[in-house]
Amino acid sequence: MPKVKVDGVEIEVPQGATVLQACEMAGKEIPRFCYHERLTIAGNCRMCLVEVKPGPPKPQASCALPAADNQEIFTTTPMVKKAREGVMEFLLINHPLDCPICDQGGECDLQDQAMAYGRGHSRFDENKRAVTEKYMGPVVKTIMTRCIQCTRCVRFAEEVAGVEEIGAIGRGENMEITSYLEGAITSELSGNVVDLCPVGALVSKPYSFEARPWELRKVPGIDVMDALGTNIRIDHRLREVMRALPRVNDDVNEEWANDKTRHAVDGLIRNRLDRPWVRVGGKLQPASWEDAFAAIAERLDGAGADGVAAIAGDLQDLESVYAMKQLLAAFGSSLHESRQDGAKFDVSSPAAYRFIATIAGIETAPAILLVGANPRWEASLVNTRIRKAVKAGAKVFRIGPPVDLTYPVTELGESLSALGDLPQQLKDAFAGKENAALIVGMGALVHDGAYEAARAAAGALGASFNVLHTAASRVGALDIGFATDGGVDAIRAKAGSLKALFLLGADELDTSVFADTFTIYIGTHGDRGVRHADVILPSAAYTEKHGTYVNLEGRVQLSEFAVFPPGEAREDWTILRALSQVLGKTLPFDDLGQLRAAMRTEYPHLGETGLSEAAALSPITGTAPSVSGEIIYPIDDFYLTNPIARSSPTMQRCSAEILHGQTFQEAAE
């Protein structure tokens, strides 16, 4: 490992580290615009200049210079200071004086570094250049006169998102960054270029002119738009969530977030349920909480073990699912299910339904078989990890309909029958490879026998077995046993004999079979779940409550309360606690602390955040069942997968424009 001196302090740096990284290890701040630790090195901006000996007697770009033995690096000499001032002066020659109206104001790298490293005055009197705005779709707004050509957005689109739709045209002073044919960026990760842009050239279109960063209160949270458990920061003003930004977590989402995570938050204030409703004479009527509870108590009077059932939705926190399970247990019922999509798989052991390779670990897989999974839409940031593995030489095979995953895939057929006759090229690719992985999605697991066949295939290939979930609440609900033999079909079969069905935020379910069943819907939006509901109880969304979530790999994470729910809406567990008292089945907790204590006593792994251990998966004995059936991926529209997203104007426009080719006229500003 090379030893270098940084401003007289000797340190040891990893082999292959750059001078910039060496300086950071020594605690020195090096300004930069184009350099980003997760992107390739461009060396465009020249802001990271330092003096290095031995070497030429001039400043050098530290981001592109490898650290070597016996180097002496100087970061604060007069030569370095003057060089950085000169670079900053050139960067500001054409930069407009937009700070008072720029959405980047207050969190702008150019502002910060101009203050710290700039001259404090300008010597240029010439006119500034102007660049026409580019169109990049419903998520990214451009003010390209501010662009300093750092090319972070270009490199992100090509290297991380895998969608080569952003590039540079022209040369010298005429260079401009633009999207391909100035069309909308089709990547589901396009919003990340806004965070990457060090100036105000790319800003969030839905958030534009809405708020200033110093007006916002910032609360750490967990995203529920997929099962990944993306770490987010919820920025809100008063009672409205203004935006959601990713927090850095190298084990989960690195520092990225998909567009649904970022921009579906404008659906939190639209189409909301803010008061209880009771169906009277076939029509829903506004009601008080007392009247709604009385209507439920009347129908549940004398209900037995098989008379009450519950189905939990995709966005639920673990506290509400646990409270629901406790309420059913008070009736002696175990008719509860969280797999509203009808997926069928073993739930007896956590290893049987988790993503065992882990999100970060899938990067090291030398061979991957996808079975009925479209990770680009089902877990976008798992897809970026697989893309990294492919760059490192991994081979990816797929059983399922062809879709563009942004990396090469060998197709093995669209039918599940391919699991019973694995081709030799697949076996050769997996033979003797450590960390090889089989990933099975919900598109396969809705078929009988698909789970067992996939498990057997993983065993035959010597690969880890990984389930790619699509619901944020699914793994946590299964961890606490919120499942029943036969899945949701078993509850459907009892529809005629049920006295009551609880839908706990369950909106992705065909409820027509329960049209004659007394149905209580507890949820946030007037969406699909309320169609046949007899009582509607308004609850809090994920930004409006403290919640525990377990992601697809079994990582326990906590989300914090940001804003109050609208109107008379309340947190789900408090609704169930109050209802239980009216029903004469009082639940044994009065506050969140007591509920969590009870939950963690019964399920100790939920008491510690982080990745929880899972017992080794036992091999399937005997002959795996033959299975057939055409695979249909569970997500047919990435942007409209849940009630919040469907209520979001931004997500509706993304769906219409990016997926369905609808054109929109832009107003002049």
Side-chain angles (χ1 to χ4, degrees):
M1 296 173 67
K3 290 184 179 180
V4 301
K5 278 187 177 181
V6 180
D7 290 338
V9 178
E10 186 173 82
I11 61 168
E12 198 172 29
V13 299
Q15 192 68 42
T18 64
V19 169
L20 187 150
Q21 291 169 325
C23 293
E24 289 191 332
M25 291 178 65
K28 301 295 181 180
E29 180 182 344
I30 304 297
R32 84 291 299 269
F33 292 113
C34 67
Y35 174 80
H36 192 278
E37 55 270 17
R38 301 189 196 276
L39 304 176
T40 56
I41 295 169
N44 291 341
C45 73
R46 320 307 288 180
M47 194 65 205
C48 63
L49 295 174
V50 296
E51 189 177 350
V52 180
K53 295 179 181 178
K58 64 176 184 179
Q60 299 187 64
S62 60
C63 68
L65 186 64
D69 264 327
N70 302 317
Q71 274 181 340
E72 287 190 70
I73 305 165
F74 303 94
T75 66
T76 58
T77 62
M79 178 194 292
V80 171
K81 183 175 183 294
K82 184 177 180 181
R84 290 176 180 171
E85 287 178 353
V87 170
M88 180 58 69
E89 197 170 9
F90 276 116
L91 288 174
L92 295 177
I93 289 173
N94 286 311
H95 197 80
L97 301 176
D98 278 352
C99 297
I101 60 155
C102 179
D103 280 303
Q104 199 87 334
E107 49 190 8
C108 174
D109 291 347
L110 188 62
Q111 277 184 332
D112 296 340
Q113 294 184 39
M115 287 292 293
Y117 304 101
R119 290 177 58 93
H121 64 277
S122 174
R123 294 177 290 172
F124 287 88
D125 297 319
E126 291 80 3
N127 291 330
K128 295 177 181 287
R129 79 163 186 166
V131 181
T132 56
E133 313 306 357
K134 316 300 180 193
Y135 183 73
M136 291 191 178
V139 165
V140 181
K141 177 182 177 181
T142 68
I143 306 93
M144 299 311 293
T145 300
R146 302 171 185 162
C147 180
I148 61 170
Q149 287 84 43
C150 70
T151 69
R152 279 186 181 182
C153 55
V154 177
R155 285 174 283 147
F156 174 84
E158 179 181 349
E159 297 163 16
V160 179
V163 178
E164 299 180 8
E165 295 179 352
I166 305 178
I169 58 173
R171 302 184 69 179
E173 193 179 45
N174 296 320
M175 180 178 175
E176 298 179 18
I177 303 294
T178 183
S179 59
Y180 182 66
L181 297 180
E182 295 195 25
I185 306 171
T186 59
S187 172
E188 64 287 345
L189 300 171
S190 63
N192 291 290
V193 300
V194 173
D195 288 351
L196 286 172
C197 184
V199 296
L202 303 177
V203 295
S204 170
K205 186 173 285 187
Y207 175 72
S208 183
F209 301 127
E210 291 294 324
R212 287 298 200 178
W214 54 85
E215 299 178 303
L216 305 177
R217 181 168 175 261
K218 303 165 179 63
V219 177
I222 301 298
D223 175 58
V224 298
M225 296 294 141
D226 56 26
L228 192 84
T230 298
N231 288 220
I232 60 173
R233 192 186 83 196
I234 303 163
D235 288 4
H236 69 93
R237 183 176 60 192
L238 301 178
R239 299 187 65 168
E240 182 179 353
V241 175
M242 305 303 295
R243 61 179 180 179
L245 299 177
R247 288 184 289 130
V248 177
N249 187 327
D250 287 334
D251 294 325
V252 182
N253 57 293
E254 298 181 288
E255 60 184 82
W256 316 126
N258 66 50
D259 290 349
K260 192 162 48 176
T261 296
R262 289 174 178 275
H263 298 297
V265 293
D266 59 359
L268 289 168
I269 59 171
R270 293 171 172 85
N271 201 26
R272 286 299 298 268
L273 299 172
D274 60 359
R275 66 174 70 176
W277 296 77
V278 175
R279 195 175 296 275
V280 179
K283 292 185 178 182
L284 287 170
Q285 303 288 342
S288 66
W289 281 101
E290 292 78 8
D291 291 342
F293 285 169
I296 297 171
E298 181 182 349
R299 293 301 295 261
L300 285 178
D301 185 34
D306 292 330
V308 186
I311 300 173
D314 295 346
L315 312 183
Q316 294 305 121
D317 59 296
L318 202 47
E319 286 82 358
S320 65
V321 179
Y322 178 77
M324 187 78 257
K325 185 184 179 188
Q326 294 298 101
L327 181 59
L328 289 188
F331 284 96
S333 172
S334 61
L335 287 175
H336 41 59
E337 185 55 69
S338 58
R339 297 167 290 178
Q340 59 176 331
D341 53 10
K344 307 173 184 70
F345 49 84
D346 179 13
V347 296
S348 60
S349 163
Y353 54 78
R354 288 184 181 175
F355 197 86
I356 295 300
T358 72
I359 296 167
I362 201 68
E363 289 182 14
T364 62
I368 300 170
L369 172 60
L370 301 172
V371 180
N374 175 10
R376 183 172 176 184
W377 279 7
E378 294 167 31
S380 303
L381 297 176
V382 170
N383 198 57
T384 63
R385 303 277 191 165
I386 298 175
R387 182 174 164 79
K388 282 188 185 180
V390 172
K391 284 186 174 182
K395 294 183 178 178
V396 180
F397 300 83
R398 171 169 51 205
I399 298 175
V403 291
D404 179 15
L405 296 180
T406 74
Y407 44 80
V409 178
T410 302
E411 305 291 350
L412 302 181
E414 300 185 23
S415 172
L416 284 169
S417 58
L419 280 173
D421 185 20
L422 301 176
Q424 191 60 42
Q425 64 168 334
L426 177 66
K427 296 176 181 177
D428 292 343
F430 277 73
K433 300 287 179 62
E434 290 187 13
N435 301 325
L438 182 148
I439 300 174
V440 61
M442 298 300 123
L445 295 181
V446 294
H447 294 275
D448 290 324
Y451 177 81
E452 292 77 9
R455 279 270 299 270
L461 294 171
S464 64
F465 180 75
N466 306 276
V467 178
L468 189 68
H469 292 278
T470 57
S473 63
R474 183 76 53 85
V475 173
L478 296 177
D479 279 358
I480 67 171
F482 204 84
T484 190
D485 291 338
V488 75
D489 291 338
I491 297 177
R492 282 197 180 101
K494 295 179 179 287
S497 60
L498 288 177
K499 293 201 73 171
L501 170 70
F502 286 90
L503 295 179
L504 188 61
D507 289 276
E508 316 308 317
L509 178 76
D510 181 8
T511 57
S512 57
V513 69
F514 301 112
D516 297 327
T517 303
F518 184 76
T519 303
I520 304 106
Y521 176 81
I522 304 173
T524 60
H525 287 69
D527 202 74
R528 299 169 180 171
V530 303
R531 289 176 181 171
H532 300 104
D534 295 285
V535 177
I536 299 172
L537 305 178
S539 67
Y542 69 104
T543 57
E544 299 160 2
K545 57 187 172 184
H546 295 279
T548 302
Y549 299 92
V550 183
N551 76 348
L552 53 82
E553 61 182 349
R555 186 177 301 275
V556 181
Q557 303 186 110
L558 301 180
S559 185
E560 294 187 15
F561 164 90
V563 297
F564 288 99
E568 299 179 43
R570 297 292 183 268
E571 294 183 36
D572 311 65
W573 74 265
T574 63
I575 295 172
L576 294 169
R577 168 62 179 81
L579 176 61
S580 70
Q581 190 166 348
V582 175
L583 296 175
K585 311 280 186 182
T586 305
L587 296 177
F589 41 79
D590 296 321
D591 57 39
L592 182 64
Q594 292 178 3
L595 186 157
R596 283 183 167 172
M599 185 171 68
R600 291 165 180 174
T601 299
E602 193 170 350
Y603 307 100
H605 74 284
L606 300 176
E608 295 186 15
T609 57
L611 191 61
S612 60
E613 296 294 328
L617 191 60
S618 57
I620 288 183
T621 57
T623 305
S626 59
V627 61
S628 61
E630 295 299 314
I631 292 171
I632 299 175
Y633 295 128
I635 297 177
D636 59 2
D637 190 324
F638 171 77
Y639 299 101
L640 304 176
T641 55
N642 58 64
I644 299 174
R646 286 190 287 269
S647 299
S648 163
T650 304
M651 293 297 98
Q652 291 170 8
R653 177 162 173 177
C654 285
S655 172
E657 184 171 354
I658 297 173
L659 298 185
H660 300 103
Q662 187 175 341
T663 57
F664 290 84
Q665 291 184 335
E666 289 286 301
E669 292 188 25

